[in-house]
């Protein structure tokens, strides 16, 4: 599933091609995504210019002067830029064709993604309104987590994955940051000291920034790419490594279910 670094990398990758560019035409081959694409989207988007691209959590906002396209990549979606007309393959549901001849193509095999149009303030849209703080901002701190954990019995990993508290730290990066900060994923959030929460926040920011940086080196994949751009699995230390040896102590990594999500951890390094 695309997580925050993949979404940020996607945003940066497409920005250079479509910022300040005007949409000539929208071609929709499949309207049924997680929510239906508005039926009149062609009329809505014709001749709109992309003034600004923004990310909020895992949403990509393409802002025009009279409204905003809200895109979510869902479980399996990706966006890429084509520089010449290319016959669509299966699951390539949508093209935005720009006056500069660039084509923004949205692919989503599982169709859990979204492509919506909103007039007015996009941050007031029901999908965005209740999102928590951005993990790469100053507002996200150990102190903030401490205040959110107060009086709750929630496990620290479940707290991190609550989008209303901090948005965009998904399963992969929550597991990786807990490993990096030596915190057992199921530990009650409220029992962690401010020192440990500070360390955790530092690790989350570092790991997200490193992933975004690595994504930057694959930006070329956003042009005429056949594959899925921007997945950084080679650097993961626990996620997807159940049964393999811990890279720090050598003990076999274990797996548990937390909030119905699979979590891999080291029973020896994480307390
Ligand atoms: Zn270990």
């Amino acid at each position: 599933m695309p997580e925050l670094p993949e979404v940020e990398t996607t945003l940066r990758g497409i920005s250079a091609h479509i910022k300040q560019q005007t949409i000539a035409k929208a071609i929709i081959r499949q309207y049924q995504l997680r929510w239906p694409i508005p039926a009149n989207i062609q009329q809505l988007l014709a001749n709109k210019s992309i003034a600004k691209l923004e990310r909020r959590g895992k949403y990509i906002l393409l802002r025009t002067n009279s409204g905003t396209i809200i895109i979510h990549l869902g479980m399996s979606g990706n966006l890429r830029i084509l520089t010449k007309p290319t016959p669509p393959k299966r699951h390539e549901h949508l093209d935005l064709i720009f006056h500069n001849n660039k084509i923004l193509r949205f692919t989503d095999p599982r169709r859990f993604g979204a492509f919506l149009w909103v007039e007015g303030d996009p941050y007031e849209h029901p999908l965005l309104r209740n999102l928590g703080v951005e993990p790469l901002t100053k507002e996200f701190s150990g102190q903030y987590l401490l205040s959110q954990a107060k009086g709750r019995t929630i496990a620290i990993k479940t707290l991190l994955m609550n989008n209303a508290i901090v948005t965009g730290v998904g399963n992969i990066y929550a597991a990786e940051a807990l490993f990096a900060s030596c915190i057992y994923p199921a530990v009650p959030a409220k029992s962690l000291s401010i020192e440990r929460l500070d360390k955790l926040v530092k690790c989350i920011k570092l790991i997200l920034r490193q992933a975004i940086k690595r994504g930057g080196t694959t930006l070329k994949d956003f042009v005429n790419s056949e594959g899925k751009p921007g997945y950084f699995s080679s650097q993961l230390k626990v996620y997807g490594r159940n049964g393999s040896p811990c890279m720090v102590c050598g003990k076999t990594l274990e797996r548990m279910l937390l909030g119905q999500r699979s979590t891999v951890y080291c029973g020896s390094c994480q307390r």
Side-chain angles (χ1 to χ4, degrees):
M1 182 186 316
E3 294 211 36
L4 188 148
E6 290 83 9
V7 176
E8 179 68 26
T9 300
T10 298
L11 179 78
R12 294 180 188 185
I14 64 175
S15 246
H17 301 279
I18 65 168
K19 194 175 170 187
Q20 308 298 345
Q21 299 299 327
T22 303
I23 298 169
K25 201 171 150 188
I27 297 175
I28 319 294
R29 290 177 285 270
Q30 169 63 268
Y31 283 85
Q32 301 306 317
L33 300 181
R34 178 150 186 198
W35 297 279
I37 297 175
N40 60 341
I41 195 86
Q42 273 107 340
Q43 293 92 298
L44 289 170
L45 296 186
N47 295 313
K48 294 280 197 300
S49 288
I50 308 297
K52 226 157 104 185
L53 293 90
E54 295 170 2
R55 180 186 59 75
R56 176 75 174 107
K58 298 205 292 185
Y59 292 91
I60 288 175
L61 311 181
L62 308 183
R63 303 193 68 153
T64 77
N65 291 331
S66 57
T68 303
I69 301 166
I70 301 179
I71 300 173
H72 195 282
L73 301 176
M75 307 284 285
S76 58
N78 72 69
L79 287 169
R80 65 188 207 276
I81 299 287
L82 306 174
T83 52
K84 57 174 193 283
T86 309
K89 294 195 195 119
R90 210 168 156 225
H91 308 307
E92 298 187 340
H93 304 313
L94 180 160
D95 290 344
L96 293 185
I97 303 171
F98 288 83
H99 280 303
N100 66 356
N101 295 324
K102 300 278 173 73
I103 301 162
L104 179 70
R105 178 163 286 182
F106 181 60
T107 306
D108 186 5
R110 294 181 65 181
R111 291 200 270 130
F112 277 105
F115 189 95
L116 300 167
W117 171 256
V118 52
E119 278 159 16
D121 183 358
Y123 291 94
E124 287 303 315
H125 189 278
L127 290 171
L128 274 67
R129 196 165 50 205
N130 297 317
L131 293 177
V133 300
E134 286 285 332
L136 292 173
T137 59
K138 273 207 307 283
E139 286 68 43
F140 183 55
S141 63
Q143 201 63 50
Y144 172 75
L145 279 186
L146 192 71
S147 71
Q148 294 298 317
K150 209 173 162 189
R152 303 166 86 156
T153 52
I154 190 170
I156 184 62
K157 178 161 178 278
T158 311
L159 183 91
L160 291 180
M161 291 184 58
N162 182 340
N163 272 313
I165 293 173
V166 52
T167 179
V169 181
N171 204 20
I172 297 178
Y173 296 100
E176 292 298 311
L178 287 165
F179 177 74
S181 54
C182 305
I183 296 173
Y184 181 64
V187 83
K190 66 177 177 189
S191 72
L192 290 166
S193 66
I194 183 66
E195 289 77 18
R196 297 194 80 196
L197 290 171
D198 278 340
K199 171 107 194 274
L200 174 61
V201 165
K202 219 177 251 178
C203 289
I204 291 172
K205 292 185 184 198
L206 184 74
I207 288 170
L208 289 175
R209 287 207 177 98
Q210 283 173 341
I212 292 168
K213 211 166 154 191
R214 276 196 300 278
T217 64
T218 65
L219 282 190
K220 59 183 184 327
D221 293 336
F222 284 89
V223 181
N224 291 335
S225 166
E226 293 295 314
K228 285 186 289 181
Y231 289 84
F232 317 128
S233 56
S234 61
Q235 303 289 328
L236 302 176
K237 293 195 167 74
V238 284
Y239 183 85
R241 295 194 65 245
N242 178 34
S244 301
C246 170
M247 290 180 186
V248 173
C249 73
K251 190 172 176 271
T252 303
L253 296 177
E254 297 167 63
R255 191 183 86 101
M256 69 170 130
L257 274 182
L258 256 187
Q260 288 155 6
R261 301 300 299 272
S262 175
T263 297
V264 181
Y265 65 98
C266 175
S268 156
C269 292
Q270 292 174 258
R271 296 294 159 128

